[in-house]
């Protein structure tokens, strides 16, 4: 990118884009010092107020930071935590060895509903007894990084809610249930604007983008045994795909 | 959510949030008709201008659509195309059976650079001969959904560029090279604001969120044989994780 003195775009705006481009191209890396105002004036034959305005706007945008007495620096990019070897089973509730340390928010009994019945491939209006909804946050160092919801049909695990409320161990809950535990899954992963509730759970401004995953897990028996709905803060977390 | 007549938030704004919440909760599904102005007036004891303003703002936001003579509808959510069984190898260049139908933009020779050398685990300053960069768009029905970049070290595939320029078949390019073809990989998948160039490639407004994946693919020999950088439009596409 070069500055164009005959353009209708003001020079400070062109310089702002040029600096941004250099940051995005890695010429100035995260946390690095950028050239001084005088350096830019000389390199590009610009006046000082032009340079100052370009820098001021990038500071206002959070792209640059002024460290008093030291110079102007590229803002450090937050390092995301990557979830290693991510698969559809990574956040399965039924596959947990223990639910004691995940900060389980609640286990609730939900009525059978059409949408969920369809995912679980249950025919309509058969009076199915509904779903257990287990919900827990994904926190690291007391910071909420995401939220997990797991739906388990009462049909397959009739006493799940009572067992968890009574503090029964996961290994006992799962005994004789191995044919109904998740073996594989199919999560649709998308990036989309957060719904209001999701934004509030993740402590993000409304309509912020989030990473969302949703889909069924399948048991050895062939049944859909669990449906997951996971939302993640994209500024804090990513997933490793193998 | 209930309306609060004693709140400092105007009633139309509260109603707008209430309608939005009902849409997000699925009370009014995508493409469905919402109640008429009169229905809302009766249900919530509101004046008609209050209802009209709430609806007008949601129409302006693209959340609702007025179909003349028919009523007001929830805007249909664009169906995303899901890439089935997504893995780190899904967009490998070296694993292609043919590069003829992918709309290959270019194959370029890049100089050895520190960052890439580090990913390929090559020691610094050894005069490595650099990388082939293959770049191609991901298009469906003439719509750009994403963009793929693949870096292949010249050290492992010395004649890749010439072979492709000469129209050599992929099967011939790969013969005797099987030990250097990708067997597994590790892509970091994140959602982040697009860089300016990326936004322009994907035909998105600047700083729009994108799905970005980046990382090495490993050959049977243990070498990093390819590094992928993939960007996807999150409004059009998602990936299925198994």
């Amino acid at each position: 990118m070069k500055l164009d003195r005959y353009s209708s775009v003001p020079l400070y705006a062109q310089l702002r884009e040029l600096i941004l481009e250099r940051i995005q191209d890695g010429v100035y890396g995260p946390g690095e010092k950028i050239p001084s105002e005088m350096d830019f004036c000389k390199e590009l034959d610009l006046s000082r107020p032009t340079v100052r305005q370009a820098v001021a706007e990038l500071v206002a945008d959070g792209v640059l930071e002024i460290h008093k007495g030291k110079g102007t620096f590229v803002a450090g990019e937050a390092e995301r935590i990557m979830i290693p070897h991510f698969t559809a089973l990574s956040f399965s509730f039924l596959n947990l060895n223990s639910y004691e340390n995940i900060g389980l928010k609640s286990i609730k009994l939900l009525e059978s509903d059409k949408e969920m019945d369809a995912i679980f491939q249950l025919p309509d209006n058969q009076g199915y007894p509904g779903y257990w909804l287990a919900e827990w946050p994904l926190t690291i160092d007391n910071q909420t990084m995401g939220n997990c919801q797991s739906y388990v049909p009462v049909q397959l695990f009739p006493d799940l809610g009572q067992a968890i409320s009574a503090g029964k161990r996961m290994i006992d809950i799962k005994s004789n249930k191995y044919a109904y535990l998740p073996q594989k899954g199919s999560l649709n992963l998308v990036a989309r604007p957060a719904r209001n509730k999701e934004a509030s759970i993740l402590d993000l401004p409304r309509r912020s983008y989030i990473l969302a995953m949703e889909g069924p897990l399948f048991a050895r028996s062939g049944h859909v045994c669990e449906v997951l709905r996971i939302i993640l803060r994209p500024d804090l977390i990513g997933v490793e795909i193998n």
Side-chain angles (χ1 to χ4, degrees), chain A:
Chain A
M1 176 178 174
K2 283 190 177 165
L3 302 190
D4 175 0
R5 282 164 202 284
Y6 302 101
S7 162
S8 62
V9 179
L11 278 171
Y12 80 87
Q14 294 187 47
L15 176 60
R16 186 190 61 210
E17 293 307 303
L18 183 143
I19 296 175
L20 202 55
E21 200 173 282
R22 288 185 179 176
I23 292 170
Q24 295 185 344
D25 289 345
V27 179
Y28 313 138
E32 273 180 31
K33 191 173 169 174
I34 68 163
S36 69
E37 284 183 7
M38 277 306 292
D39 292 336
F40 277 121
C41 293
K42 278 186 211 159
E43 182 198 338
L44 300 162
D45 193 18
L46 294 168
S47 75
R48 202 125 174 188
T50 299
V51 176
R52 195 164 295 157
Q53 181 157 2
V55 169
E57 292 199 358
L58 290 168
V59 169
D61 284 352
V63 173
L64 294 177
E65 290 170 356
I66 294 176
H67 296 189
K68 271 215 167 159
K70 292 188 179 166
T72 305
F73 294 76
V74 179
E77 203 172 304
E79 278 282 317
R80 285 182 188 80
I81 291 176
M82 302 303 299
I83 301 173
H85 304 298
F86 187 75
T87 73
L89 301 179
S90 293
F91 289 117
S92 161
F93 182 75
L94 291 177
N95 270 4
L96 288 174
N97 290 319
S98 151
Y99 56 83
E100 283 150 37
N101 299 317
I102 60 167
L104 194 62
K105 282 186 205 163
S106 63
I107 175 119
K108 273 186 279 197
L109 182 58
L110 303 185
E111 280 181 29
S112 179
D113 82 61
K114 263 193 204 169
E115 196 199 342
M116 217 26 106
D117 289 356
I119 300 175
F120 280 93
Q121 294 157 1
L122 299 177
D124 271 351
N125 300 318
Q126 299 290 302
Y128 284 100
Y131 302 96
W132 298 112
L133 167 59
E135 181 163 3
W136 66 101
L138 193 67
T139 49
I140 298 177
D141 294 338
N142 292 319
Q143 164 74 58
T144 301
M145 319 287 277
N147 193 68
C148 306
Q149 291 184 321
S150 161
Y151 296 79
V152 175
V154 171
Q155 222 187 357
L156 297 184
F157 288 83
D159 310 317
L160 187 65
Q162 294 86 335
I164 287 174
S165 301
K168 205 167 167 182
R169 289 183 311 162
M170 204 59 163
I171 193 171
D172 296 324
I173 292 174
K174 294 199 281 195
S175 72
N176 298 318
K177 290 285 188 189
Y178 289 101
Y180 295 143
L181 298 183
Q183 296 288 309
K184 54 183 183 171
S186 163
L187 297 189
N188 282 345
L189 181 156
V190 301
R192 61 163 173 76
R195 296 174 185 130
N196 289 358
K197 274 184 198 167
E198 294 170 334
S200 126
I201 289 173
L202 298 182
D203 199 17
L204 286 172
R206 283 180 46 186
R207 306 282 298 162
S208 298
Y209 258 72
I210 58 168
L211 271 176
M213 289 171 251
E214 185 169 328
L217 307 183
F218 303 94
R220 210 175 50 203
S221 66
H223 288 82
V224 175
C225 55
E226 185 173 357
V227 166
L228 288 178
R229 286 187 177 156
I230 301 160
I231 53 173
L232 302 175
R233 273 186 66 149
D235 54 334
L236 299 178
I237 207 161
V239 299
E240 186 210 4
I241 308 281
N242 293 116

